[in-house]
Amino acid sequence: MAEKLKKLNEDISEISTWLESDKIPWVIAGPCSAESEEQVLATARALKKSAQVKVFRAGVWKPRTRPNTFEGVGKIGLEWLRQVKAETHFLTTTEVANAHHVELCLDNDVDILWIGARTTVNPFLVQEIADALKGVDVPVLVKNPINAELGLWLGAIERLYHAGITKLAAIHRGFSTYMEMEYRNRPDWQIPIELKRLIPSLPLICDPSHIAGNRAYIEPISQTALDIGIKALMIETHIDPDRALSDAKQQITPDALIGLLDRLRARDTAITDKHVKGKIAHLRGQISHVDSQIIRDLAERMRWVEDIGKLKQQHGIAVLQINRWENLLDDHMAKAQQLGLEDEFVKAVFELIHAQAVKRQL
Ligand code: PEP
Ligand code: MN
């Protein structure tokens, strides 16, 4: 681990210092937006039936993609959150996007702050928030940036840490993409996994609502998150989802949330059973063996590539032969398909290999 991150990793506060996360997954639930006192309180009361919900969320300032849509109720929403806390004893959280929001939240006893995806992309704003938090011991949850860039996510976490915040967690809410797909945001699980590898002590929370964009997918995405080893979920929950003023399609009722949590199966992150441990060690051995073979094969492939590169140079032939590349990709994908490998995966692997091969010949 890079030296810079080592200290951060050591200094991150145990989650138990700011949250009682006894049941896995522990959950942050509540509406996308606070819309009215009744909606906020009715949702919170209904959520109280679940022992897994620990934190109540509601956005009061909403970063909407297009203007002339509901942009949040503002400051009055903080008053409603205060009522939720008094009545239900939930911890409360809302999104902050600038120093003014931070100040108002702290004045109104919001327990936990979160930084939204559209703010994490902007180092100026993140720094402004970090500066406003100097000397304050409030937990901050950092959503991934809307684009799939780990650096910005890490950068935001580092900025907060340098301002003295150690009660930190990261929220994975998927990455925006230009392509049409069934989900609103691509999960690209390898990115939160890499974040966890770099900062193992940083708690990870998955927000399946914003990945899904549609309530039908919330459950399978939540299960995938748990299967990976993520221990917490943020799920948008509304007392009357179809009438929600923002993100209506992806919100679920408190009862639906309770049913969903009941069906989820959390997995153990520690391997305790000796017999299972042995079997896993054996399978890991087989996997590592194949990995070594792949590395040797790649090295061999690159040696042939260099030979062909020299030959092309001697005879003045261009490095990139587009027909050859097209044929090769079609051929490999057909073979891989027969062996049950996914097209997209094989294509991505060979695009990387081919790019490296071109580089080696230049
Ligand atoms: C939200 O949680 O309602 C929200 C705006 O999320 P994100 O920043 O992930 O888009
Ligand atoms: Mn939302």
Side-chain angles (χ1 to χ4, degrees):
M1 191 193 308
E3 202 53 39
K4 254 165 61 180
L5 294 178
K6 203 168 160 215
K7 183 87 175 69
L8 190 161
N9 186 55
E10 283 166 11
D11 289 348
I12 285 181
S13 304
E14 281 275 338
I15 193 135
S16 57
T17 61
W18 54 276
L19 190 101
E20 192 192 317
S21 55
D22 45 355
K23 268 202 156 171
I24 301 212
W26 62 268
V27 178
I28 301 171
C32 176
S33 305
E35 298 166 5
S36 69
E37 187 178 332
E38 299 72 47
Q39 169 248 9
V40 167
L41 281 162
T43 308
R45 283 177 193 135
L47 284 170
K48 202 59 204 170
K49 283 188 268 171
S50 166
Q52 275 165 281
V53 178
K54 303 288 178 188
V55 182
F56 183 81
R57 64 151 282 157
V60 305
W61 300 284
K62 298 305 298 178
R64 305 308 300 281
T65 305
R66 308 283 299 273
N68 302 321
T69 41
F70 175 67
E71 293 191 323
V73 294
K75 201 173 143 193
I76 180 81
L78 300 178
E79 188 48 47
W80 306 337
L81 284 181
R82 193 201 280 280
Q83 278 173 249
V84 166
K85 183 153 61 162
E87 193 183 311
T88 63
H89 304 291
F90 277 135
L91 294 177
T92 56
T93 184
T94 198
E95 173 172 351
V96 291
N98 57 41
H100 181 58
H101 294 164
V102 170
E103 195 185 316
L104 286 170
C105 284
L106 297 177
D107 284 352
N108 284 278
D109 300 324
V110 176
D111 299 292
I112 299 168
L113 308 180
W114 94 72
I115 296 185
R118 290 163 192 77
T119 304
T120 308
V121 289
N122 186 332
F124 287 131
L125 285 176
V126 174
Q127 192 58 52
E128 178 184 317
I129 293 169
D131 290 342
L133 284 168
K134 278 202 177 118
V136 181
D137 191 28
V138 66
V140 184
L141 318 177
V142 184
K143 288 205 175 196
N144 64 258
I146 36 181
N147 56 319
E149 210 214 290
L150 178 61
L152 283 167
W153 204 359
L154 269 175
I157 292 159
E158 286 178 297
R159 283 175 200 278
L160 291 161
Y161 167 67
H162 291 146
I165 301 288
T166 59
K167 294 174 179 163
L168 285 162
I171 304 181
H172 171 44
R173 49 78 77 199
F175 305 93
S176 154
T177 160
Y178 169 69
M179 282 182 305
E180 278 285 317
M181 53 160 189
E182 55 182 354
Y183 294 164
R184 179 177 173 190
N185 290 294
R186 282 173 74 108
D188 287 344
W189 296 101
Q190 74 278 12
I191 296 177
I193 290 171
E194 178 62 4
L195 179 68
K196 190 76 185 163
R197 188 184 71 81
L198 291 170
I199 318 178
S201 70
L202 182 72
L204 254 187
I205 301 165
C206 177
D207 170 348
S209 309
H210 286 87
I211 294 175
N214 180 326
R215 59 184 76 117
Y217 304 130
I218 293 175
E219 186 163 336
I221 297 168
S222 301
Q223 188 59 59
T224 302
L226 295 187
D227 292 347
I228 286 174
I230 293 177
K231 297 193 174 76
L233 301 169
M234 176 188 255
I235 300 185
E236 286 189 338
T237 318
H238 192 291
I239 198 70
D240 189 0
D242 288 332
R243 287 190 206 200
L245 298 182
S246 59
D247 289 349
K249 281 202 299 211
Q250 72 193 32
Q251 302 209 57
I252 57 175
T253 62
D255 282 345
L257 176 74
I258 290 165
L260 182 156
L261 293 177
D262 228 33
R263 290 186 296 275
L264 292 180
R265 290 287 156 256
R267 297 193 184 189
D268 264 341
T269 34
I271 313 165
T272 41
D273 185 306
K274 243 179 144 182
H275 183 62
V276 177
K277 222 175 185 166
K279 276 189 168 170
I280 287 186
H282 169 71
L283 291 172
R284 282 184 174 156
Q286 301 289 346
I287 292 169
S288 295
H289 177 73
V290 174
D291 284 352
S292 307
Q293 187 60 48
I294 293 174
I295 293 167
R296 277 197 295 272
D297 286 350
L298 283 173
E300 187 186 338
R301 191 187 196 282
M302 291 307 155
R303 283 196 293 274
W304 293 119
V305 162
E306 279 178 4
D307 284 354
I308 206 173
K310 278 183 204 135
L311 201 64
K312 284 180 191 162
Q313 194 185 31
Q314 278 163 11
H315 295 274
I317 302 168
V319 166
L320 181 63
Q321 303 281 320
I322 202 77
N323 286 347
R324 156 74 180 157
W325 166 229
E326 255 181 40
N327 293 339
L328 182 142
L329 193 60
D330 286 348
D331 190 45
H332 289 1
M333 281 176 54
K335 275 193 198 121
Q337 210 174 37
Q338 280 180 358
L339 294 172
L341 294 169
E342 271 180 38
D343 275 3
E344 214 183 310
F345 165 65
V346 174
K347 187 161 177 261
V349 168
F350 276 96
E351 275 172 353
L352 272 177
I353 292 176
H354 185 253
Q356 177 67 24
V358 169
K359 198 171 151 202
R360 288 275 185 128
Q361 296 177 67
L362 292 173

